[in-house]
Amino acid sequence: MNWQKFNGETLHVPILQAVEETIVREHNLGNKLKIYIGTDSQVKRRVVEFATVIVFLRENRGGFMFIHKDRKTHTMSIKERMLIEVQHSIEIAYQVCPLLDQYQVDLEVHADINTNPNFQSNAALKEAMGYIMGMGFMFKAKPESFASTNCANKLVQ
C-alpha cells in the first residue's frame, strides 16, 4: 500500500512505522494527539476511486494526514460502496490499534454515511455502525465524520 502526505510526498516506510514515528515525534513535542480514520469514494466513468486518510489532530494545535488512494473497476451498488469504504477504514484502524493502545492515543473511525434516511448512503448506516462498533472502535457518521466527509472527500473530487 502506497501512502503519502497531503503535500504529495510519498512515505518511504511502512504505514505502521510512519504512524509510530509520528506519534513519538508529536509526544516529544508535547502535543496530545487524537487519530481519525476515514474513507470516501467517487464513481467516475465506471471506475470507483477510494481515498483513505489517517488524520492526526493535535489538541489546540491543528493537524495533518496521511493518504492512500485506490481504484476499483467493479460496478457496485451504493450500499456495497459504502461498506467497502468502511472496510478500508477498519483495515487501517485494526493495523494501527496496537500502536494507539501502546501510546494511549484515542481513535475514531469515520464513515461517509448520512444519518438522514432521505439520502441513499443511509441504506448502509446500520451495517456500517455495527461493523465499526463490533470491531471495538468509536464510530461517527455525517455530519460528525470530518475525516471521511471532508478530508477524504477532497481527494476523490
Side-chain angles (χ1 to χ4, degrees):
M1 248 186 186
N2 295 326
W3 286 84
Q4 62 186 31
K5 296 179 181 179
F6 187 65
N7 66 5
E9 179 186 336
T10 300
L11 298 177
H12 297 289
V13 297
I15 190 60
L16 288 179
Q17 183 179 342
V19 169
E20 184 169 25
E21 289 172 357
T22 300
I23 291 170
V24 169
R25 182 187 71 235
E26 293 298 325
H27 278 250
N28 289 341
L29 292 171
N31 294 321
K32 181 172 173 27
L33 284 178
K34 187 163 182 180
I35 293 180
Y36 305 84
I37 297 174
T39 302
D40 195 13
S41 64
Q42 187 76 34
V43 179
K44 297 177 183 175
R45 297 185 185 150
R46 296 187 199 170
V47 174
V48 182
E49 293 184 11
F50 292 90
T52 300
V53 297
I54 302 172
V55 179
F56 299 84
L57 199 59
R58 301 177 194 109
E59 193 173 88
N60 302 316
R61 305 265 336 245
F64 54 94
M65 64 183 165
F66 295 155
I67 301 158
H68 171 70
K69 292 184 182 180
D70 189 19
R71 296 174 147 214
K72 295 196 184 315
T73 55
H74 170 71
T75 303
M76 58 189 79
S77 68
I78 184 79
K79 185 173 184 177
E80 182 181 4
R81 187 163 55 96
M82 296 297 106
L83 292 175
I84 290 172
E85 288 178 12
V86 169
Q87 178 184 356
H88 286 206
S89 296
I90 288 288
E91 287 172 359
I92 299 307
Y94 192 72
Q95 286 179 37
V96 302
C97 196
L99 286 174
L100 305 182
D101 289 344
Q102 178 182 345
Y103 293 102
Q104 299 174 343
V105 176
D106 290 334
L107 168 71
E108 283 183 12
V109 176
H110 290 186
D112 188 39
I113 297 175
N114 209 303
T115 54
N116 183 332
N118 294 329
F119 290 85
Q120 289 181 334
S121 67
N122 183 266
L125 180 64
K126 288 180 185 175
E127 290 90 340
M129 187 176 357
Y131 187 14
I132 293 169
M133 293 176 74
M135 294 296 289
F137 300 115
M138 291 286 297
F139 166 79
K140 296 286 184 187
K142 283 182 178 177
E144 299 172 320
S145 58
F146 70 87
S148 57
T149 306
N150 298 103
C151 300
N153 179 271
K154 289 188 184 327
L155 302 166
V156 292
Q157 290 301 317

